[in-house]
Amino acid sequence: MELIRALQLLKLNSVSSAWVDAVWDFEFTHTDPLDPVIEEEIKEDPDVFKTIYKQLLPFSNKDDDNTQSVWLVFGENGVSAKPLVAVLSYFILSAKAKSPSLEQRLCGLQAASLYLLLLKIPGSVANKVYHQILFDTCLNMPLKCWPQDSGKKRKKDTLKSSQGDPKTGKRSKPPKKVSEEMEIDDDEDDEEEGVYFSPQDLLKLREGIVLLVRTLLRLLERFSLRDKPQSADSCVQLFTQLTNFEPVIGNLSFSQERNVDQIQSLPELSYHGLGLLCSTIHGEGDECRRRVFRKLLYVILMMKTQERSKPCLLAPSQAVCGARDQAILFISHIVEKQREATLPLLRILVQHICHQMVEKSEYRVSGAQAVGKLMAKMPCQDYAAIIKWLYSYSRNNKVAFRMFALDVALVLLEQSERDVDDTVDPELAVFLPHRFLVHNIIYNHRNDVSPTVRGHALHCLAQCLELGSQNATKCVHELFSNSAQTMLESGRSEQTLKRRETVQKSALTFRTIELTKHKSITTTHRSVMNSSLQNEEALTLFKKHVSDPKINARKSALETVMSLLKHGVISCSAENLSILSDRCRDPAVSVKKKAMQCLMDLLTALPENREVQEAWLRGVLPAVMDSESSVQEKALECLDHVVIAHIKSQGKYRDDDTSQKLAWDLLGLMCEKCQDLSRYFSKTFSVWAPQQKFTPAFVNGLLSHTDGERAAAAWLLLDKIASCSPKLNYGTVLDTWENTIRSPVVSVTMTCHILSVLGDIASNLNDDTKTRIVDDLMGWLKTFSLPLEVISSCVDTLVRFSRSDNTRDTLRFLDRFCGELVSVCESYLSGVILQEKGAENINEDLLVKHLYTLGAASLHCPSKVGKRIFLVVQSVLTPSEQPVPAEGDELPAGQPLSQFKPNSMPTVVRAHAVITLGKLCLQHEELMLKYLPVFARELEVGTELAVRSNVVVVMCDLCVRYTNTVTRYIPNISACLRDKDPIVREQTLIMLTNLLQEEYVKWKGALFFRFAIVLVDPDPAIADLCEYCLVDLLLKKSPLMFSQHFIECIFHFNSYEKHKKYNKFLQTESEKSKFSLKGRQNQGKRFRIYRFLLKNFTDEQRFNITTKICQDILASFVDSELPLDSDSSELLADTFDILSLKEMKLTAMSGPAAGEEPQEDEMAMAKAVLHVAQKKLVSQVQKRNFVENVIPIIISLKNMLEKQHSPVLKHLMAYLQVTMQDYRSEVKELFAADEQLAAEVEYNLKRFEKEKQQQEQQQMENQLANFTFSPQRNATNVGGQTGFASPLNPHGTKGPAQTPKSADALRRRTYAGMVTPVRTHSSPTVFSTGRGKQVGRAISTPQASINEVTFGEQVSAICCESRRVIGSKVVDEEESVLHLMSPEQQKPVPRQWNVESPLVQKLRSKKRF
């Protein structure tokens, strides 16, 4: 018989029975080497196993009656199954050796296929062919025999969740259980690196794997794994790993039934096998399906499962993503095919995808899409139940969970909204509408504790408006409508987010994940509440978000505001648009770019909106002068893309071309409402000039627009490019000038641009044309009918026409024409002053224009300005007691008046006279010396706002010209920082900042402290401007500025002058009172300044300032250099309170931000390790400094304060309490020199901890009381700032969905020497049995809420129950249980403290001596 002859090739009769018995005894885990002779004889025929397989295959395909004959054939011919299986196992195990050859791999695969074929034949179990270990070994053969590319490459494709520190090069320790296995894998990989496989070799191996898988599939059609769970697991593991073995050509189809021989690709064969395992032949109930779903879970999560270790992430390559999509399709197919049986498993699968999701964005997006596709297969009842579970999940204390909940909500919003049908429970109906996802999941996280979640929630809210779903857009509109009645699902309390949780990190049991006890929330109740949110409140809310401390949160808030404006949710008012434009000057570069991009997107969507156009200009144009080059490039790119690129000739202009129309509209705005942005626009062209950006065709196209309705905008652009463009068509420019000079109506803006272009082309004009234009300018100026802006432009153009290579000719030209203007102005002003009733019939506008022209012209012809003009201008300011001298006479001797006394002249005339006098002083030093004291006096006692403001400008300009002379008057100028008028304060702040930037003025005297006081200016805009000037402009130039002045700030703001070194600069009494912040009423202002300065300190400066405060302030009192009197009390109190501020704490000693969960990647791990090491080192240095420099002074000062019973003592003790929190266990050691102080500090610390525990206990009681409220009562308690939030309990507890206050738990109270948390009286009969547990219900409260989130499944194995020991028994005890003491039980006796008074200690020490 052919089968027997084929079997003889295996030399079964030659194999010794002892060797066979040994193989079976070792249960196929190990085999001794087969006799080399026998092995060689078997290998002589390379197709020996294929031959036997071919002969044995017909027996497996016959009916049961006939297939029994194969075992009879074996018996009749003396063939035993035992040696056959042993020989097959030898070749199978040989393929698992280290670095097996190609021959060993092929023989191993063929032998494994032959063994599986034997198992398919009925009677294999009875004939003891089946052995679980050998069966599992055969299932491991495909991946074991297939060569890996290389160990290193395979590791790169796997993203380890925790690796070593990249800086130190140290690897993190792997788990002990997998260390040996990992070493084996590494060795194997290293061995395989030396083995080369050709494409033909790989093809042979693939054929062997396909044969094995097909044989396995035929086996599974008949061979039940019902009682073999381990073998079933191995099958699922094999098929799951083969799903991404190779790419699939085309799309996989699971609907049609196909023969195994017709399926070619391994992934298709694998899914066919998984489908077989889901059938009832392999087990009752849903165990097999649960096993398959659990393995596919990690394919969907793009993770690699490893034995005895937690899964690790795979790089999201095309193959990995393809396998994920195929797994989702397969699960969808199984759900459709076996709907009733698989729906519970589908819910569990969705929960586990959520529960095991990581925080990496690409994996979150992929997982959210998977959840959306799977939930689409659910009926409405299950869908609503999952949404309810997702709501609970979204309030978990893990950042990754809350982030993923937002992603899932966004994906679900892309699907069509579910309609409520009869199958949905009424309690779950509220979860079906899209409104619930938008309002309760996305919008509710806008104020999350974590800035990452806050930012992502705002990003998702913006994306809701971009979705095609009209329901999502409508829901967002409801949030910002004036009246919206919304059905909301809200939790009672957010406090329970900090529940204790125990999560199994590896091999999670595939059960329903319960969130009621396990994670975050208590039972939710439906409530109907009015969610009215006024637009003003929404604006305030988003203004807060765009000022978020975290950069990503600010960027997301900007995106949200842009979407709300773009889709008309909020109006495009100037105030709303300013949120975007103001952020173009954000401290963070990425936020600036994001703000500009948002403005670009908004302008693209609303190109005809004038308010949007203005906001775009005010946001983008100033960015061309940003300190960061990348921001400048972004701004220039925006301007080029929106404006320059769309300027075409008049003939190519089309009204229906939105881009062209927008470009001209923006230029028109710059000629009207946005003229103040002209200097930024000029900067743009100075950057573009070297790039030769403007071609002759562009310029000629621009000139074609100079006559029409876009003339003003065209001349604006010509003005900017005239100096850097190729040769212009001068005829067009001159014709326009002729028309302008003869026009009765003058357009101020356009005329100034035309004059500027004339000045640019002046050097290219002939002499006749120049003479004609100069005559036109002079005639135009002498009319004194032009606006002031045009007068200034005319004089500037006149000066540019005077330029020549010969300096004398230039000076002669200026003396001639500018001198003529000066003479005309002098004659007019003298006539007005000299006439007896000249001032009564004064033409105010004409007088101002003469003064302005005189000032502008006099700058260019100082030799033509006589002393008579000085006195004439002074006479405009104040009447002189002496007559005005005739022309040529000398000015009378004597000083000018000490002040510009009011006269009959209007204020506007006097204000312009100040400017003119200042211009005269710039050219005449003797005049400056005479009038500088007058200017200073005017600042002190002047009453006219315009005059004082102009005096500040004049004096600061004079400081640039005469630096040494004007510097002594800087105190007079800086005194205007406390002027009664905000305009003067702002003007002074800007002018002084410019002088300090250019180093014309130094930080001398009281200048810094006067600057600092502006931080608490009554006008918030001025305070913000001061903060910007100090931090962004001046601190960068002088990094030590804040730390050098900080000590003196304490003395100065407390008006303490008894120190020999500090606060000794000269000030008048009026200046002292004006800049004083002394007294308890100003304490808040002082500390606002202190905190601002400290916030901008480096760690080195914080460390040094602590020592310096102790040495320069505290030590001065200890050494009796300063008296301990009433004046020093405020100073010392401020000093100790400053030392207690959280801003004084080194950043290296502070932990991560509240609400942030550390990310599990290599960089985060490296930063964490570095932070711990840095913190330890800094702590040691800080402790040493504290012991050596601070403690001795503190102890001495404490004794002195005790003797005087000073109220400062409570501030000292509060400082010690805050400081000693870092050295909680070392109090006695640090205060060894003063045991009494050590005892007091330790007592205070214990008292604080006790009060903190009582406060937590009170919160637990509040929660317990909250559970007794009815839903109707909860519905009336609407909390939060916006009026649209979850119902809160009446005690105002807050959860992670609210932004945390920046209050420090250890900050001092107003009057108490101890930190005393504010609380109500707590019940003495309630106590908690656990450490730090939060209590959710009383022991008598029913547990009905648990059933609402388990969906009929078992309790999740992820949640560990707590246990308590009673005697020798371990009793399960539910968490969140309050234990109430019996009224009959006696209360515990309070602890007796062993604290002695200082008097008793002193008496005891005397007895010792």
Side-chain angles (χ1 to χ4, degrees):
M1 191 177 183
E2 295 294 332
L3 174 60
I4 300 302
R5 283 195 292 271
L7 287 173
Q8 289 176 356
L9 297 176
L10 294 177
K11 307 299 179 184
L12 298 179
N13 295 331
S14 303
V15 178
S16 66
S17 59
W19 182 85
V20 173
D21 293 338
V23 172
W24 281 84
D25 290 341
F26 280 112
E27 294 189 346
F28 305 103
T29 59
H30 170 73
T31 60
D32 293 330
L34 189 62
D35 189 340
V37 177
I38 299 176
E39 185 175 357
E40 288 299 324
E41 291 178 354
I42 295 173
K43 290 183 178 179
E44 286 179 359
D45 185 359
D47 296 329
V48 57
F49 296 107
K50 286 185 177 180
T51 303
I52 300 173
Y53 186 95
K54 183 177 180 181
Q55 297 299 326
L56 196 59
L57 186 60
F59 291 94
S60 66
N61 293 332
K62 292 183 179 180
D63 297 333
D64 294 343
D65 295 337
N66 296 326
T67 53
Q68 294 295 332
S69 61
V70 72
W71 308 110
L72 295 175
V73 171
F74 282 178
E76 292 173 356
N77 293 275
V79 177
S80 174
K82 189 172 182 180
L84 175 59
V85 173
V87 172
L88 292 177
S89 69
Y90 170 76
F91 287 96
I92 293 171
L93 294 176
S94 297
K96 293 190 64 178
K98 292 183 179 180
S99 299
S101 64
L102 175 64
E103 183 184 19
Q104 288 176 313
R105 296 172 193 240
L106 290 174
C107 290
L109 288 170
Q110 293 169 9
S113 301
L114 185 55
Y115 175 73
L116 294 177
L117 185 62
L118 280 173
L119 291 179
K120 183 186 177 187
I121 301 174
S124 59
V125 176
N127 287 275
K128 300 182 179 179
V129 175
Y130 174 78
H131 193 284
Q132 180 178 320
I133 294 178
L134 185 56
F135 180 77
D136 292 345
T137 305
C138 292
L139 297 181
N140 291 331
M141 291 300 294
L143 295 177
K144 201 66 181 178
C145 293
W146 184 259
Q148 303 292 338
D149 293 337
S150 69
K152 293 183 180 178
K153 184 176 181 180
R154 200 169 63 205
K155 288 176 184 176
K156 288 181 182 178
D157 289 340
T158 301
L159 303 177
K160 297 290 185 181
S161 60
S162 59
Q163 292 183 357
D165 190 341
K167 296 184 178 180
T168 61
K170 296 181 180 180
R171 294 178 61 86
S172 60
K173 296 181 180 180
K176 293 182 180 181
K177 292 184 180 180
V178 298
S179 59
E180 296 179 359
E181 179 185 349
M182 293 300 292
E183 291 175 3
I184 293 173
D185 290 343
D186 289 346
D187 292 339
E188 290 176 6
D189 293 340
D190 294 338
E191 292 288 342
E192 286 185 1
E193 289 180 5
V195 181
Y196 172 74
F197 295 94
S198 66
Q200 291 78 11
D201 297 339
L202 295 176
L203 186 59
K204 292 178 181 179
L205 289 173
R206 184 189 177 278
E207 291 176 355
I209 294 174
V210 170
L211 178 62
L212 187 148
V213 174
R214 283 177 176 168
T215 308
L216 177 60
L217 294 179
R218 295 190 187 99
L219 172 65
L220 292 176
E221 291 175 356
R222 294 186 180 182
F223 189 78
S224 175
L225 299 178
R226 178 175 304 178
D227 300 326
K228 305 172 182 63
Q230 185 172 346
S231 298
D233 282 338
S234 300
C235 288
V236 174
Q237 179 72 20
L238 170 65
F239 292 141
T240 305
Q241 291 177 339
L242 290 178
T243 53
N244 61 349
F245 183 85
E246 60 188 9
V248 179
I249 300 175
N251 297 324
L252 286 177
S253 176
F254 305 106
S255 58
Q256 58 182 355
E257 296 292 338
R258 301 171 65 185
N259 191 352
V260 173
D261 295 329
Q262 297 176 349
I263 302 175
Q264 299 298 325
S265 69
L266 280 168
E268 288 181 281
L269 289 169
S270 301
Y271 281 115
H272 184 78
L274 291 173
L276 288 174
L277 291 172
C278 289
S279 61
T280 56
I281 188 177
H282 297 291
E284 295 293 339
D286 60 359
E287 284 304 318
C288 287
R289 288 184 291 269
R290 184 186 297 272
R291 191 179 291 116
V292 172
F293 277 39
R294 182 172 178 271
K295 286 297 181 183
L296 290 178
L297 164 68
Y298 296 104
V299 178
I300 296 173
L301 291 172
M302 298 190 291
M303 290 182 176
K304 178 182 178 181
T305 55
Q306 299 175 353
E307 188 178 0
R308 300 189 306 277
S309 64
K310 74 176 186 176
C312 54
L313 295 175
L314 295 172
S317 61
Q318 185 177 0
V320 173
C321 295
R324 174 205 62 203
D325 296 337
Q326 293 165 9
I328 296 172
L329 288 174
F330 173 77
I331 291 174
S332 301
H333 166 69
I334 294 295
V335 171
E336 291 176 357
K337 187 176 179 181
Q338 307 173 17
R339 191 169 186 81
E340 294 300 327
T342 54
L343 279 177
L345 294 177
L346 183 61
R347 295 197 299 266
I348 296 174
L349 178 64
V350 169
Q351 290 179 353
H352 277 263
I353 292 174
C354 297
H355 187 270
Q356 300 191 48
M357 183 51 57
V358 296
E359 200 168 351
K360 297 179 182 296
S361 60
E362 50 193 342
Y363 293 89
R364 284 193 289 103
V365 172
S366 170
Q369 293 291 340
V371 170
K373 293 176 182 177
L374 295 175
M375 290 184 65
K377 301 296 180 181
M378 294 181 180
C380 291
Q381 174 73 13
D382 295 323
Y383 182 91
I386 284 292
I387 296 293
K388 181 179 180 181
W389 182 90
L390 184 68
Y391 175 62
S392 304
Y393 172 86
S394 71
R395 300 164 67 195
N396 193 278
N397 59 348
K398 276 193 174 184
V399 171
F401 287 8
R402 305 203 295 277
M403 293 280 285
F404 188 63
L406 294 170
D407 289 323
V408 173
L410 196 60
V411 170
L412 295 179
L413 287 171
E414 295 177 1
Q415 303 176 2
S416 58
E417 187 173 84
R418 302 283 187 108
D419 295 327
V420 180
D421 53 27
D422 297 336
T423 62
V424 182
D425 293 341
E427 292 184 357
L428 295 177
V430 69
F431 297 100
L432 284 178
H434 282 173
R435 180 187 292 111
F436 182 85
L437 295 173
V438 174
H439 290 187
N440 288 49
I441 294 182
I442 294 179
Y443 189 74
N444 265 8
H445 284 86
R446 70 198 183 279
N447 289 331
D448 195 276
V449 160
S450 167
T452 307
V453 181
R454 287 201 301 272
H456 194 51
L458 293 172
H459 168 75
C460 291
L461 188 64
Q463 290 301 310
C464 289
L465 295 169
E466 305 296 334
L467 298 175
S469 171
Q470 294 296 325
N471 289 326
T473 306
K474 180 182 177 182
C475 294
V476 177
H477 276 269
E478 286 179 356
L479 288 170
F480 297 90
S481 62
N482 289 332
S483 60
Q485 297 291 333
T486 309
M487 183 77 69
L488 298 179
E489 179 73 21
S490 303
R492 287 184 177 182
S493 173
E494 300 286 351
Q495 276 296 74
T496 50
L497 269 171
K498 300 303 181 182
R499 287 270 177 101
R500 178 187 174 200
E501 60 178 292
T502 305
V503 179
Q504 296 178 357
K505 294 300 183 181
S506 62
L508 294 177
T509 304
F510 201 70
R511 293 285 187 268
T512 298
I513 299 177
E514 180 192 357
L515 291 180
T516 300
K517 296 187 300 177
H518 173 60
K519 294 291 181 185
S520 61
I521 66 165
T522 56
T523 310
T524 58
H525 289 273
R526 190 172 17 157
S527 61
V528 180
M529 50 190 290
N530 185 359
S531 60
S532 176
L533 180 65
Q534 299 297 335
N535 285 333
E536 293 78 7
E537 295 175 341
L539 182 63
T540 304
L541 173 69
F542 282 104
K543 279 185 176 180
K544 180 186 72 173
H545 284 308
V546 296
S547 304
D548 195 282
K550 297 297 180 180
I551 292 176
N552 287 335
R554 297 205 297 274
K555 291 165 66 176
S556 299
L558 290 172
E559 183 183 5
T560 307
V561 172
M562 185 273 294
S563 293
L564 295 175
L565 292 167
K566 176 180 174 181
H567 294 275
V569 180
I570 58 178
S571 62
C572 291
S573 63
E575 187 178 9
N576 292 348
L577 290 165
S578 66
I579 298 176
L580 296 177
S581 56
D582 289 348
R583 281 296 126 187
C584 291
R585 287 168 290 284
D586 192 273
V589 174
S590 60
V591 179
K592 296 177 187 176
K593 294 181 179 179
K594 183 66 176 180
M596 283 190 281
Q597 187 59 50
C598 289
L599 285 171
M600 284 289 292
D601 296 342
L602 188 60
L603 186 66
T604 304
L606 304 172
E608 297 181 356
N609 190 304
R610 299 286 287 181
E611 297 290 344
V612 173
Q613 294 172 1
E614 182 178 353
W616 185 88
L617 287 172
R618 296 199 176 279
V620 174
L621 268 180
V624 301
M625 298 182 68
D626 195 89
S627 57
E628 290 288 338
S629 59
S630 61
V631 178
Q632 295 180 16
E633 293 171 1
K634 177 71 175 177
L636 292 171
E637 178 186 345
C638 294
L639 285 166
D640 186 20
H641 177 73
V642 175
V643 179
I644 304 301
H646 299 290
I647 300 299
K648 299 178 182 179
S649 63
Q650 176 74 28
K652 295 181 180 180
Y653 178 80
R654 298 288 181 272
D655 286 329
D656 57 351
D657 190 335
T658 307
S659 299
Q660 288 192 59
K661 189 173 185 303
L662 174 61
W664 287 107
D665 287 345
L666 291 171
L667 291 172
L669 267 178
M670 293 194 61
C671 297
E672 300 169 3
K673 296 178 65 176
C674 301
Q675 296 183 36
D676 54 315
L677 301 176
S678 178
R679 58 189 295 261
Y680 301 114
F681 203 44
S682 301
K683 172 67 175 179
T684 302
F685 289 90
S686 67
V687 176
W688 280 335
Q691 303 175 8
Q692 298 181 350
K693 191 176 184 66
F694 307 106
T695 63
F698 177 85
V699 176
N700 292 331
L702 191 58
L703 284 170
S704 65
H705 290 276
T706 54
D707 291 334
E709 58 181 349
R710 292 173 293 280
W715 281 108
L716 166 67
L717 207 51
L718 278 173
D719 177 14
K720 307 304 178 184
I721 67 176
S723 59
C724 60
S725 65
K727 189 174 182 181
L728 293 172
N729 186 347
Y730 302 138
T732 303
V733 178
L734 295 176
D735 290 344
T736 305
W737 167 247
E738 293 292 338
N739 294 332
T740 303
I741 200 73
R742 291 172 176 78
S743 174
V745 180
V746 177
S747 173
V748 175
T749 304
M750 190 172 75
T751 303
C752 291
H753 295 319
I754 295 173
L755 289 169
S756 179
V757 174
L758 281 175
D760 288 326
I761 67 174
S763 59
N764 298 320
L765 300 177
N766 57 43
D767 293 340
D768 292 340
T769 304
K770 285 184 179 180
T771 302
R772 188 175 74 254
I773 293 175
V774 169
D775 291 342
D776 290 340
L777 289 173
M778 288 299 295
W780 218 14
L781 285 170
K782 289 179 183 178
T783 62
F784 294 98
S785 59
L786 303 175
L788 299 184
E789 297 86 351
V790 178
I791 292 175
S792 178
S793 295
C794 286
V795 173
D796 290 341
T797 305
L798 193 64
V799 171
R800 295 172 77 176
F801 270 84
S802 70
R803 293 173 183 171
S804 65
D805 296 335
N806 191 332
T807 306
R808 291 185 179 180
D809 293 343
T810 300
L811 294 176
R812 191 179 302 111
F813 181 96
L814 292 174
D815 287 343
R816 175 186 172 187
F817 293 103
C818 292
E820 182 179 349
L821 290 174
V822 170
S823 177
V824 172
C825 293
E826 178 188 354
S827 299
Y828 175 80
L829 294 174
S830 299
V832 171
I833 299 300
L834 292 176
Q835 290 180 4
E836 293 183 2
K837 297 184 179 180
E840 296 178 3
N841 302 321
I842 187 174
N843 186 333
E844 179 180 314
D845 182 61
L846 194 60
L847 185 56
V848 166
K849 290 177 179 178
H850 277 84
L851 282 171
Y852 190 85
T853 305
L854 173 62
S858 64
L859 289 174
H860 305 289
C861 57
S863 60
K864 297 296 182 178
V865 179
K867 295 182 179 179
R868 177 185 174 88
I869 295 178
F870 302 156
L871 198 56
V872 168
V873 175
Q874 177 191 324
S875 300
V876 175
L877 291 169
T878 180
S880 175
E881 297 178 357
Q882 297 182 4
V884 178
E887 181 66 31
D889 294 347
E890 292 294 328
L891 190 68
Q895 293 293 327
L897 297 177
S898 61
Q899 184 195 352
F900 299 142
K901 295 181 180 179
N903 56 17
S904 58
M905 292 294 179
T907 299
V908 63
V909 175
R910 290 162 49 79
H912 277 87
V914 169
I915 295 295
T916 302
L917 188 59
K919 293 177 179 179
L920 295 174
C921 289
L922 286 174
Q923 297 291 349
H924 301 83
E925 185 175 359
E926 69 281 0
L927 187 68
M928 179 272 300
L929 293 174
K930 291 182 179 180
Y931 281 97
L932 203 57
V934 181
F935 289 141
R937 180 66 176 167
E938 180 67 19
L939 289 179
E940 184 177 352
V941 299
T943 58
E944 295 169 307
L945 169 61
V947 174
R948 292 201 317 278
S949 179
N950 286 352
V951 167
V952 171
V953 175
V954 167
M955 293 189 72
C956 289
D957 284 347
L958 292 176
C959 186
V960 177
R961 177 74 172 83
Y962 310 105
T963 305
N964 294 332
T965 305
V966 183
T967 299
R968 71 184 68 147
Y969 292 99
I970 291 298
N972 302 83
I973 300 175
S974 62
C976 294
L977 291 171
R978 297 289 277 182
D979 194 272
K980 62 182 180 179
D981 293 305
I983 295 177
V984 178
R985 298 201 299 271
E986 183 179 8
Q987 186 85 286
T988 306
L989 179 63
I990 295 172
M991 298 300 294
L992 284 177
T993 300
N994 291 334
L995 293 177
L996 288 164
Q997 273 189 291
E998 301 298 330
E999 296 188 357
Y1000 290 111
V1001 173
K1002 304 291 184 182
W1003 291 111
K1004 293 182 179 179
L1007 181 58
F1008 177 84
F1009 312 105
R1010 295 183 177 183
F1011 244 85
I1013 282 185
V1014 185
L1015 291 168
V1016 293
D1017 192 275
D1019 189 339
I1022 297 177
D1024 292 342
L1025 177 62
C1026 177
E1027 183 175 337
Y1028 169 77
C1029 292
L1030 284 173
V1031 176
D1032 296 303
L1033 301 179
L1034 301 175
L1035 186 61
K1036 292 179 179 179
K1037 200 170 188 67
S1038 305
L1040 302 178
M1041 176 176 68
F1042 288 176
S1043 59
Q1044 289 175 342
H1045 291 88
F1046 188 80
I1047 300 291
E1048 196 156 11
C1049 278
I1050 304 174
F1051 287 96
H1052 180 77
F1053 295 142
N1054 282 283
S1055 301
Y1056 191 84
E1057 299 179 349
K1058 297 181 182 180
H1059 197 279
K1060 62 182 179 181
K1061 177 182 176 182
Y1062 294 113
N1063 202 22
K1064 290 297 183 183
F1065 32 79
L1066 297 176
Q1067 292 186 99
T1068 63
E1069 291 300 324
S1070 62
E1071 290 175 342
K1072 287 181 181 180
S1073 61
K1074 188 181 294 186
F1075 289 92
S1076 175
L1077 291 179
K1078 185 179 181 180
R1080 185 176 295 275
Q1081 69 277 9
N1082 291 317
Q1083 185 184 26
K1085 294 181 179 180
R1086 294 199 302 271
F1087 274 84
R1088 204 180 313 164
I1089 297 173
Y1090 298 148
R1091 288 192 186 93
F1092 170 80
L1093 298 178
L1094 288 171
K1095 185 175 66 175
N1096 293 282
F1097 272 28
T1098 63
D1099 269 358
E1100 180 184 0
Q1101 291 171 343
R1102 289 190 182 93
F1103 182 83
N1104 292 333
I1105 204 68
T1106 303
T1107 306
K1108 198 171 182 182
I1109 286 175
C1110 293
Q1111 293 176 350
D1112 290 5
I1113 301 179
L1114 302 182
S1116 298
F1117 290 98
V1118 173
D1119 298 338
S1120 300
E1121 294 180 7
L1122 297 176
L1124 285 171
D1125 51 17
S1126 58
D1127 292 337
S1128 64
S1129 295
E1130 283 291 334
L1131 177 69
L1132 277 174
D1134 271 17
T1135 303
F1136 286 121
D1137 292 345
I1138 288 171
L1139 292 172
S1140 304
L1141 291 175
K1142 66 176 182 180
E1143 287 82 3
M1144 284 291 290
K1145 191 172 185 178
L1146 305 184
T1147 55
M1149 296 291 292
S1150 59
E1156 285 292 342
E1157 183 173 296
Q1159 299 180 0
E1160 296 183 357
D1161 56 14
E1162 56 272 14
M1163 290 303 298
M1165 293 291 291
K1167 290 180 181 178
V1169 172
L1170 182 64
H1171 177 75
V1172 171
Q1174 185 181 22
K1175 183 176 180 179
K1176 184 175 180 181
L1177 177 62
V1178 172
S1179 178
Q1180 292 174 352
V1181 176
Q1182 196 176 29
K1183 176 183 174 182
R1184 182 178 177 183
N1185 177 67
F1186 186 66
V1187 172
E1188 294 179 357
N1189 300 323
V1190 179
I1191 288 181
I1193 297 176
I1194 294 295
I1195 292 176
S1196 301
L1197 190 57
K1198 173 184 173 292
N1199 295 331
M1200 296 173 65
L1201 294 173
E1202 282 181 337
K1203 291 179 181 178
Q1204 295 193 4
H1205 302 286
S1206 174
V1208 182
L1209 186 61
K1210 62 178 177 289
H1211 297 272
L1212 184 148
M1213 295 304 297
Y1215 159 65
L1216 284 180
Q1217 179 182 336
V1218 172
T1219 307
M1220 293 312 297
Q1221 289 295 324
D1222 295 330
Y1223 312 103
R1224 181 66 182 84
S1225 60
E1226 305 172 74
V1227 175
K1228 292 183 179 179
E1229 176 187 348
L1230 296 177
F1231 290 96
D1234 192 335
E1235 296 180 358
Q1236 174 66 21
L1237 181 58
E1240 292 182 12
V1241 171
E1242 191 168 8
Y1243 172 75
N1244 287 347
L1245 292 175
K1246 289 181 179 178
R1247 181 181 169 190
F1248 171 75
E1249 291 173 357
K1250 182 178 179 182
E1251 291 175 341
K1252 187 177 181 181
Q1253 291 178 357
Q1254 292 176 351
Q1255 189 178 22
E1256 293 177 354
Q1257 182 69 30
Q1258 180 65 30
Q1259 292 176 356
M1260 296 177 188
E1261 293 179 22
N1262 294 343
Q1263 292 179 17
L1264 178 61
N1266 188 38
F1267 286 128
T1268 63
F1269 293 156
S1270 64
Q1272 289 78 9
R1273 180 173 178 180
N1274 271 339
T1276 60
N1277 293 319
V1278 180
Q1281 296 178 350
T1282 62
F1284 184 91
S1286 302
L1288 304 177
N1289 62 46
H1291 301 278
T1293 56
K1294 295 182 180 180
Q1298 295 174 327
T1299 304
K1301 298 292 182 69
S1302 58
D1304 188 355
L1306 301 179
R1307 297 291 299 282
R1308 60 183 178 80
R1309 297 297 177 189
T1310 304
Y1311 194 72
M1314 274 297 303
V1315 176
T1316 55
V1318 179
R1319 65 189 188 282
T1320 58
H1321 296 289
S1322 60
S1323 172
T1325 62
V1326 180
F1327 68 97
S1328 175
T1329 59
R1331 293 180 300 172
K1333 290 185 180 178
Q1334 291 198 2
V1335 179
R1337 67 179 189 86
I1339 198 168
S1340 60
T1341 308
Q1343 293 181 275
S1345 61
I1346 297 178
N1347 295 327
E1348 295 185 11
V1349 290
T1350 58
F1351 311 126
E1353 294 294 331
Q1354 301 177 17
V1355 177
S1356 172
I1358 299 173
C1359 179
C1360 290
E1361 296 179 351
S1362 60
R1363 298 172 181 266
R1364 60 189 176 100
V1365 180
I1366 301 179
S1368 60
K1369 298 181 181 180
V1370 179
V1371 182
D1372 290 341
E1373 179 186 276
E1374 181 190 86
E1375 293 182 4
S1376 306
V1377 174
L1378 282 176
H1379 295 273
L1380 305 180
M1381 295 177 60
S1382 171
E1384 300 175 358
Q1385 185 178 352
Q1386 295 183 356
K1387 296 181 182 180
V1389 180
R1391 180 180 175 183
Q1392 297 294 329
W1393 289 91
N1394 186 17
V1395 180
E1396 298 178 348
S1397 67
L1399 182 60
V1400 174
Q1401 285 189 342
K1402 188 180 295 184
L1403 293 175
R1404 181 174 297 178
S1405 61
K1406 287 182 179 180
K1407 291 180 181 179
R1408 291 177 182 174
F1409 290 104

